[in-house]
Amino acid sequence: MAGRADSTVLAGARVVLPTGIVENGRLIVEGTRIAGSTAEGAPTVDLSGHWVVPGFVDMHNHGGGGASFTSGTVDEVLTGIRTHREHGTTTLVASTVTGEMDFLAHRAGVLSELVEQGDLAGIHFEGPFISPCRKGAHSEDLLRHPDPAEVRKLVDAARGTAKMFTLATELPGGIDSVRLLAEHGVIAAIGHTDATYEQTVEAIDAGATVATHLFNAMPPLAHREPGPIAALLEDERITVELINDGTHLHPAALELAYHHAGAHRVALITDAMDAAGFGDGLYQLGPLAVEVKDGVARLVEGNSIAGSTLTLDTAFHRAVTIDRIPVGDVVQSISANPARLLGVYDRVGSLEPGKDADLVVLDEDFALKGVMRKGEWIKAPQIG
């Protein structure tokens, strides 16, 4: 009996499953999904000497390929999505930056259409409800307190596609906004914050579940004033985002987070801006001018780090080869954990029968060689 025309068997690779690493593994793709079995005669791709891991899930990303999710046209946003897909990110959330409320509401409408089409997994609002003390690459003139009514306005504008809000929860209205988000099934993330340890604990108890790019845009850890970092690391209810580009974090900080939170509570993100996968030059991040030099993005005025030029294949490679994190732990942090947080783990985030055939092929040195999304090769591996 001949195999289905849309059936493919990927054979010979080390396959990373939720249960562990399978040597000389065999993964079956039928149509858009992973299958448990297939008829004889299906074409086989020999991936000996390679790794097969789940497609990456990025829950914090502002753009790429020269295109901005924060202000670009639909076609430009699609360009950014394609750029990150080519680097292994098969599931992606579009992040905004601080802007006028009406503009953000309009932007939510634009991005929500791409979520409804299946191109994006949701919208993350980063700003304007953040601390001027820890604003990073956000326009201070446009910052505001997290008024629950305004938070609700953006949730409504997103038409059910809002996945996460980053808030400085210590500001007036912060705790009430966390409660509102929790009631609507939207992740409340603590970030760009000047909160104390005690204020952070209060926000977690109110329903916050994510630390936006831990260590960055928040007070440093101190022995008498532990601040938000200690509270976020110690609480099992919190998943901590980490930007592993070699610029945002010292390797010791990354190791500290993995050691203290555990791989099951880490989400590797890019916090990418337009220059990711594109190159050095001058860019705009919202209303602010950014210069990218040697792959590092900084504001033209003030020199603050302005997002990253990271792609998740590089974050994966660094985590395994430089930080020496076990492959299974990295897969958990870059695929499974964010998929669970976003509520899409039933479809993506692991290589299991019935799930979307989203996967990444890496060589023995963990360089990206192939990307498949819903059974189609975005980047076909060149084997032999």
Side-chain angles (χ1 to χ4, degrees):
M1 180 178 178
R4 283 175 44 173
D6 57 356
S7 298
T8 304
V9 178
L10 307 179
R14 292 177 175 174
V15 181
V16 182
L17 303 177
T19 52
I21 298 170
V22 177
E23 301 284 345
N24 194 24
R26 188 169 180 267
L27 194 72
I28 300 163
V29 175
E30 292 211 352
T32 63
R33 298 186 181 277
I34 298 169
S37 62
T38 191
E40 292 183 9
T44 297
V45 178
D46 183 2
L47 293 177
S48 299
H50 290 71
W51 293 82
V52 175
V53 301
F56 307 146
V57 180
D58 193 354
M59 55 190 279
H60 188 154
N61 188 314
H62 299 278
S68 170
F69 299 155
T70 66
S71 59
T73 65
V74 168
D75 285 344
E76 288 170 340
V77 173
L78 289 170
T79 294
I81 293 169
R82 283 193 296 271
T83 297
H84 285 284
R85 283 182 186 170
E86 290 168 357
H87 289 274
T89 298
T90 52
T91 302
L92 186 149
V93 170
S95 302
T96 65
V97 294
T98 293
E100 296 283 1
M101 286 294 297
D102 287 345
F103 175 79
L104 291 174
H106 171 73
R107 197 69 200 154
V110 172
L111 294 172
S112 66
E113 292 183 11
L114 293 173
V115 179
E116 291 158 4
Q117 291 173 196
D119 294 300
L120 291 170
I123 302 170
H124 162 220
F125 293 97
E126 187 178 26
F129 311 116
I130 60 176
S131 171
C133 301
R134 304 287 174 177
K135 64 183 184 296
H138 292 256
S139 176
E140 185 167 355
D141 293 343
L142 298 173
L143 299 183
R144 54 213 296 138
H145 291 161
D147 179 350
E150 292 191 323
V151 172
R152 176 65 186 270
K153 176 182 177 178
L154 294 182
V155 170
D156 290 345
R159 304 198 304 262
T161 67
K163 289 291 186 178
M164 184 164 69
F165 270 76
T166 292
L167 308 169
T169 53
E170 76 279 6
L171 296 175
I175 297 299
D176 287 341
S177 294
V178 169
R179 294 194 181 106
L180 181 144
L181 291 168
E183 289 169 3
H184 286 80
V186 180
I187 297 165
I190 301 171
H192 287 276
T193 177
D194 202 41
T196 64
Y197 174 90
E198 292 76 16
Q199 289 170 327
T200 306
V201 169
E202 182 184 9
I204 297 169
D205 287 341
T209 56
V210 166
T212 293
H213 42 56
L214 186 74
F215 299 108
N216 299 115
M218 60 183 63
L221 184 68
H223 62 295
R224 280 192 288 272
E225 295 181 7
I229 293 172
L232 295 164
L233 279 176
E234 72 183 8
D235 199 302
E236 283 291 323
R237 294 170 289 182
I238 292 291
T239 297
V240 297
E241 293 182 346
L242 299 175
I243 308 171
N244 191 22
D245 62 351
T247 299
H248 280 79
L249 297 176
H250 189 282
L254 186 103
E255 182 182 0
L256 173 67
Y258 264 95
H259 176 77
H260 205 74
H264 67 290
R265 288 180 46 219
V266 170
L268 293 176
I269 62 162
T270 60
D271 194 17
M273 46 80 71
D274 312 17
F278 200 67
D280 289 357
L282 292 174
Y283 297 85
Q284 288 290 127
L285 186 59
L288 302 178
V290 175
E291 181 179 13
V292 177
K293 185 176 181 181
D294 298 328
V296 178
R298 294 186 179 274
L299 293 182
V300 171
E301 292 188 14
N303 205 39
S304 174
I305 294 176
S308 84
T309 62
L310 184 64
T311 52
L312 281 181
D313 56 330
T314 298
F316 191 110
H317 187 271
R318 284 187 58 87
V320 175
T321 62
I322 296 175
D323 304 304
R324 303 298 179 184
I325 299 168
V327 174
D329 287 352
V330 179
V331 167
Q332 193 172 6
S333 302
I334 210 166
S335 300
N337 295 345
R340 286 194 185 95
L341 282 166
L342 296 172
V344 295
Y345 189 67
D346 60 325
R347 295 186 288 109
V348 301
S350 66
L351 301 176
E352 297 177 88
K355 291 195 174 185
D356 290 350
D358 291 1
L359 58 89
V360 175
V361 179
L362 306 167
D363 68 15
E364 61 183 5
D365 297 319
F366 301 100
L368 184 142
K369 294 298 178 181
V371 182
M372 177 182 284
R373 184 175 187 268
K374 294 189 176 181
E376 291 189 16
W377 288 112
I378 303 295
K379 177 184 176 72
Q382 302 299 312
I383 306 299

